[in-house]
Amino acid sequence: MRKIASVVFGILVLVMMASCATNHEVALSQNKNIVGKNGIKRPDWVIQDQSNMINHYAAGYGVGKTFETSMMKAKLNADAALALWVSNSVEAVRDRYIEETNDNGKETYIDKFVSSANEAGKAVLSGITEIDFWEDLEGGVWVLHMIPVANIKAQIESAIDTVCADKTLFSDEAKSKEVFEKLNKALDAYFPEK
């Protein structure tokens, strides 16, 4: 009975994956046929991430009673998506470091690194650039924001420097240097050079 259930479950998963892949291709191909307010065609960035190794983009959507309200909501949503990406990037660097060192992640310097990097990331988020916006026929507004990946990487590097320079967090300078090197290695693995 278990064998039959496993086979049926496997078939269902494959069917679902195939239907999702098909729907995604259809949505992208139909993108060019959608027209918004003022006859402007929907840009690809509305449904397809444009991020690359140089810039990270986030699209936000907002709808309100006025264009201004919709635009403000869209900007807030795009900024929130960028803030989440920064936070996830910091956590990914931390996780790579922990994986590399077999550390359980409960060390004080790791907590301070994450806190420092997230604080530094918040400061960089004030430098977000608005690239484009698009208004749909229902009055909803889409906005595209961008932040250079190098800015976030520099802030995480700064957090590594700050934490590793704190003499109260390490038993000796050798440990500080080891953590510094391994955190930078994790950072470079997450943000590889172009």
Side-chain angles (χ1 to χ4, degrees):
M1 186 69 178
R2 282 186 181 171
K3 205 174 200 180
I4 293 172
S6 296
V7 170
V8 170
F9 179 73
I11 291 171
L12 287 173
V13 168
L14 288 173
V15 168
M16 287 176 57
M17 287 172 53
S19 70
C20 288
T22 304
N23 288 341
H24 181 69
E25 289 171 16
V26 170
L28 290 176
S29 68
Q30 291 178 348
N31 187 46
K32 293 177 177 44
N33 298 327
I34 305 292
V35 177
K37 204 158 194 168
N38 301 324
I40 299 171
K41 290 184 179 180
R42 179 170 64 185
D44 288 340
W45 58 260
V46 170
I47 60 171
Q48 188 175 15
D49 185 13
Q50 303 295 306
S51 298
N52 54 48
M53 292 173 61
I54 299 168
N55 296 311
H56 188 82
Y57 295 89
Y61 175 76
V63 64
K65 292 186 179 191
T66 65
F67 172 79
E68 289 77 18
T69 304
S70 297
M71 179 65 96
M72 182 180 67
K73 288 180 178 181
K75 287 179 179 184
L76 288 172
N77 287 330
D79 290 350
L82 285 173
L84 180 63
W85 174 73
V86 169
S87 179
N88 287 342
S89 297
V90 170
E91 290 178 16
V93 170
R94 177 204 61 204
D95 293 347
R96 283 175 188 259
Y97 168 82
I98 290 171
E99 191 176 288
E100 183 77 21
T101 61
N102 295 321
D103 187 358
N104 63 7
K106 294 183 181 175
E107 297 289 343
T108 306
Y109 59 84
I110 290 297
D111 294 338
K112 185 162 183 180
F113 159 70
V114 170
S115 175
S116 296
N118 280 328
E119 286 304 312
K122 286 178 190 173
V124 172
L125 289 175
S126 64
I128 291 171
T129 304
E130 184 176 317
I131 303 298
D132 198 5
F133 75 91
W134 179 74
E135 188 176 5
D136 64 25
L137 291 174
E138 290 79 34
V141 174
W142 289 87
V143 67
L144 180 65
H145 283 183
M146 179 275 294
I147 192 161
V149 171
N151 290 9
I152 299 303
K153 186 175 179 182
Q155 293 308 310
I156 296 174
E157 286 172 342
S158 175
I160 292 170
D161 292 343
T162 300
V163 168
C164 292
D166 189 341
K167 305 266 188 243
T168 64
L169 295 174
F170 298 97
S171 56
D172 59 32
E173 196 170 318
K175 178 66 173 173
S176 171
K177 186 176 180 182
E178 176 189 342
V179 170
F180 177 82
E181 289 171 357
K182 289 184 178 177
L183 276 171
N184 274 303
K185 181 180 176 186
L187 178 64
D188 290 340
Y190 188 72
F191 291 110
E193 293 296 320
K194 304 169 221 141

